Amino acid sequence: MPEPGQGPLSGLRVLEFAGLGAAPFCGMMLADMGADIVRIDRPGKDLKSLLIPEAHADLMSRGRRSIVMDLKSADCVALALKLVAKADALIEGLRPGVMERIGLGPDICLSRNPRLIYGRVTGWGRTGPLAHTAGHDINYVALSGVLHMIGERGGPPITPLNLAGDFAGGGLMLAFGILAALYERERSGQGQVVDAAMVDGAALLATFAHGLMAVGFWQDERGTNLLDGGAHFYGCYECSDGKYIAIGPLEPEFYAQFLERAGLRSADWPQYEPARWPELRERLAKVMRTRSQADWCGIFEGSDACVTPVLGLIEATRHPHNIARGSFVGQDGIVQPAPTPTFSRSATRLRSPPPRNSDDREAILCEWGIDAS
């Protein structure tokens, strides 16, 4: 159980059905904020155990406890419904219709617990012609229009890992939706279903681009716009040592500082003349290759030129700024991102590590007021 006062969601009980990607990320977000997350795991090995064979490395499972259940068993479904009756919220990320088929769909769960917030996340959503077809992050991001935006001019789209679909468009949106529904429940006293679709969430992330396109300030061609690498003053450049720096002085006063520190004449480097951006990008690339990453960082240090090194995952954990903020923490020998955001009164911290294939059934049932026999 979370310690009293440990995190702003301390005391919130959430039942999570094991899955991949978006749903566990949502659970991690809530657990990091102090919620008591109980995950129902399937017996035996699943796809996640093949992708992450070491349980302690499954970092998105941190802060959970586990009950192993075979939901093909009527007895296990009955026990799951007893947990549902005690929960504030539920998280599931299975394909449409699966929860209904096993007897744990929203209708029966809300009949057992009318105050339940039933959170579900899928790739395509629960309606529409693609609702029942398979897909993964890259497919959802592609259909949202976001994937088309990422890449160099004249080149193919670049896959943005699974950040925009699974985690931001899916898991984070579901966490936001659950908290919004919990707030509404304070007024109505009623639970409801929160339906998050990754294709919708990814599309929402590109709202700014739709607005700029409507007024002619964004072209539907990647690598030609202000924030997609088209502008010479917003992008990544290779240095003489093969490492990269990121520059982003969007404001004219910051751009002026960038030019001054880089030793470039402002008259030769106009900023907001899009027709000249391709030429200026090529010229700036040659300039940036004249020094190492460390040299450029030293030149721009302490300025508002908006220049930073492009760091690898290990390098990021060692950067002085991230160390000062406690952006990364260690647990079980693994350095990982710390819970965020932080709060002035409700302290958050990294709680328990990922469950190691354990079954905490007796302790959980006792704490949730269910007869363990």
Side-chain angles (χ1 to χ4, degrees):
M1 285 286 289
E3 299 173 7
Q6 180 61 49
L9 297 183
S10 178
L12 185 74
R13 286 178 169 174
V14 181
L15 190 62
E16 175 188 350
F17 288 83
L20 290 172
F25 187 77
C26 172
M28 185 196 77
M29 294 290 296
L30 300 180
D32 282 353
M33 297 297 107
D36 179 16
I37 309 282
V38 170
R39 187 179 67 197
I40 295 181
D41 285 321
R42 304 179 187 92
K45 293 187 177 296
D46 56 12
L47 177 59
K48 184 170 68 173
S49 65
L50 297 176
L51 297 174
I52 311 175
E54 298 293 333
H56 73 287
D58 182 16
L59 298 183
M60 287 197 304
S61 290
R62 67 193 190 191
R64 317 282 215 289
R65 292 179 298 168
S66 169
I67 292 182
V68 177
M69 289 191 195
D70 180 2
L71 294 177
K72 296 178 182 178
S73 159
D75 287 342
C76 286
V77 171
L79 178 56
L81 285 172
K82 289 185 178 182
L83 290 167
V84 164
K86 302 283 186 175
D88 291 295
L90 178 153
I91 299 170
E92 69 97 353
L94 305 177
R95 288 181 70 166
V98 171
M99 292 292 281
E100 285 83 353
R101 284 199 299 273
I102 62 179
L104 291 168
D107 289 345
I108 188 170
C109 287
L110 284 165
S111 71
R112 296 294 182 93
N113 182 356
R115 289 174 55 83
L116 179 72
I117 305 302
Y118 194 109
R120 47 194 352 187
V121 58
T122 58
W124 301 119
R126 312 195 74 78
T127 58
L130 296 177
H132 293 276
T133 62
H136 285 294
D137 180 285
I138 191 170
N139 308 117
Y140 314 136
V141 176
L143 206 70
S144 73
V146 169
L147 185 58
H148 173 79
M149 300 167 62
I150 304 172
E152 295 183 358
R153 184 176 189 173
I158 295 177
T159 308
L161 304 178
N162 61 335
L163 303 178
D166 277 345
F167 301 144
L172 194 57
M173 294 296 177
L174 180 59
F176 171 74
I178 288 173
L179 295 180
L182 286 167
Y183 177 76
E184 190 277 340
R185 190 179 73 178
E186 293 301 305
R187 299 193 304 275
S188 69
Q190 300 179 46
Q192 60 180 307
V193 178
V194 179
D195 184 4
M198 296 177 216
V199 66
D200 298 342
L204 184 67
L205 297 175
T207 301
F208 81 100
H210 285 272
L212 295 177
M213 187 177 294
V215 294
F217 198 68
W218 191 275
Q219 306 303 313
D220 203 14
E221 179 186 358
R222 59 183 161 273
T224 64
N225 298 286
L226 179 64
L227 301 176
D228 64 0
H232 64 285
F233 51 90
Y234 199 88
C236 298
Y237 290 89
E238 186 178 11
C239 304
S240 64
D241 55 0
K243 297 182 179 181
Y244 287 80
I245 59 169
I247 71 168
L250 294 173
E251 297 82 354
E253 61 270 26
F254 297 161
Y255 184 63
Q257 287 193 45
F258 169 78
L259 294 178
E260 181 182 0
R261 294 270 182 139
L264 304 175
R265 281 174 17 100
S266 59
D268 299 331
W269 296 86
Q271 186 174 17
Y272 281 98
E273 294 185 16
R276 296 194 60 186
W277 285 351
E279 165 218 339
L280 294 174
R281 174 170 270 281
E282 289 185 12
R283 288 170 52 194
L284 189 56
K286 293 178 181 178
V287 172
M288 294 296 104
R289 280 195 291 266
T290 62
R291 297 178 183 271
S292 69
Q293 184 193 73
D295 288 341
W296 283 122
C297 289
I299 289 170
F300 291 108
E301 185 176 3
S303 74
D304 285 335
C306 305
V307 176
T308 52
V310 177
L311 302 178
L313 291 181
I314 295 176
E315 288 179 304
T317 67
R318 299 170 179 169
H319 191 276
H321 182 80
N322 295 333
I323 291 174
R325 287 193 52 78
S327 301
F328 295 89
V329 293
Q331 188 176 66
D332 268 12
I334 298 180
V335 178
Q336 56 196 280
T340 191
T342 59
F343 300 82
S344 61
R345 289 187 299 101
S346 304
T348 58
R349 63 175 174 82
L350 204 61
R351 294 162 58 208
S352 61
R356 295 175 179 269
N357 300 319
S358 61
D359 190 335
D360 303 306
R361 181 184 309 253
E362 289 191 14
I364 292 168
L365 296 182
C366 179
E367 291 168 10
W368 283 40
I370 299 172
D371 184 354
S373 64

